[in-house]
Structure formats: structure tokens, C-alpha cells
Amino acid sequence: MHASSSDGGPALFRLVRHWARQWAPDVVERFAPDAPPAWTVPNLFVIQAIDGAAGDEVTVADVARQLGIDRSVASRMVAEAGRDGFVVRSTSPRDARRAVLTLTEAAKEFLAASQAHQRQAFEALVGHWDAADRERFAGYLTRLADEVLG
């Protein structure tokens, strides 16, 4: 039996609820058992937000927008990620009033480990599908994420 496209909404939200429960504070330990203590979910959120922000100068406002949180909360999260060695805050060469954020090599390593885990999770879920279906589904997921998240 094939589901109709009208079943897509309920299925999507069932998956969202499932993944929200799965995204627990110990998620990092699941993909990196010997992870450094600074490899926390909030730090990963900041790293992903900076990595996913558009433009060549990423700011705290961009992180807040990416995460859907208040700027003051984003500022505290960025400060923590900076203390943990993942983010460098510097003055914009274009506008000395702006602070721009860049990722350190440690952040790029954390991000790469996270993305490898995400690829493994995707493969565990749909690895039994034929290659064309996996590729098509991955394309649709990417398209949806790009359209929703910009």
C-alpha cells in the first residue's frame, strides 16, 4: 500500500517527535564515546549555525536566526563555544562595529564527526532501500531543508 501525499504531514511530525526525543544530551557520546567534555549539544548547535549561515561574515544575530532563539541567548551560547575553543570572535574588516564569528579547527573536527554520525544514522534507517530510492530521498530531504532553512 502506498501512502498518499496527504499522509506526508502526519508522517513528518511523527518523525520530528521521534527525533526530538532521540536528541538527548548524551547524543555526542553516542557518536564519539571518547568525546572531549567540550563536545556538547549547545556547542554543536552554535557550530552548525555558523557553518550553515549565509554570507562571508557570520554574526551572533545570524546564529540566533539559524537557531530560532533570542539574540541574548545566542550571544551566551557563542561565548561558551568561544571559551571551549570552537569559535573566534573578531572585528569585521568592513565595519569595525560588527563582530564576526569564525570556526576553529577544533570546531571543524567536531562538525565533521557530527556529520559522519548523521550519515551513518541515515544509512541505518534507509540502507536496505535500493540505491536509487536512497538517493532520491536524500535529494528530497536536502531540498526540503534548503527551502525551509534557506
Side-chain angles (χ1 to χ4, degrees):
M1 175 180 157
H2 288 282
S4 72
S5 63
S6 65
D7 292 332
L12 174 65
F13 279 82
R14 279 192 358 250
L15 284 170
V16 167
R17 282 191 308 274
H18 170 77
W19 287 111
R21 289 188 306 269
Q22 295 299 312
W23 189 260
D26 67 338
V27 70
V28 173
E29 286 79 23
R30 279 190 251 148
F31 69 84
D34 57 347
W39 279 26
T40 65
V41 171
N43 280 341
L44 182 57
F45 283 168
V46 169
I47 292 166
Q48 290 172 329
I50 293 170
D51 182 66
D56 57 343
E57 289 193 351
V58 180
T59 66
V60 170
D62 294 320
V63 171
R65 201 169 18 265
Q66 285 279 320
L67 297 178
I69 58 177
D70 182 79
R71 192 183 181 292
S72 64
V73 174
S75 182
R76 287 190 296 276
M77 289 175 71
V78 166
E80 179 73 24
R83 281 190 297 276
D84 287 341
F86 297 119
V87 177
V88 174
R89 188 187 292 241
S90 58
T91 303
S92 167
R94 292 187 199 148
D95 183 348
R97 296 168 296 174
R98 288 173 41 114
V100 295
L101 309 173
T102 55
L103 297 177
T104 64
E105 287 305 312
K108 292 173 186 175
E109 178 185 331
F110 188 5
L111 182 62
S114 169
Q115 291 170 340
H117 172 71
Q118 292 163 357
R119 288 183 187 97
Q120 289 168 354
F122 181 81
E123 194 59 32
L125 289 170
V126 298
H128 62 284
W129 294 5
D130 71 57
D133 284 347
R134 284 194 315 268
E135 193 69 28
R136 191 170 22 259
F137 186 55
Y140 290 145
L141 283 173
T142 301
R143 175 180 165 188
L144 179 62
D146 289 348
E147 288 177 4
V148 171
L149 304 172

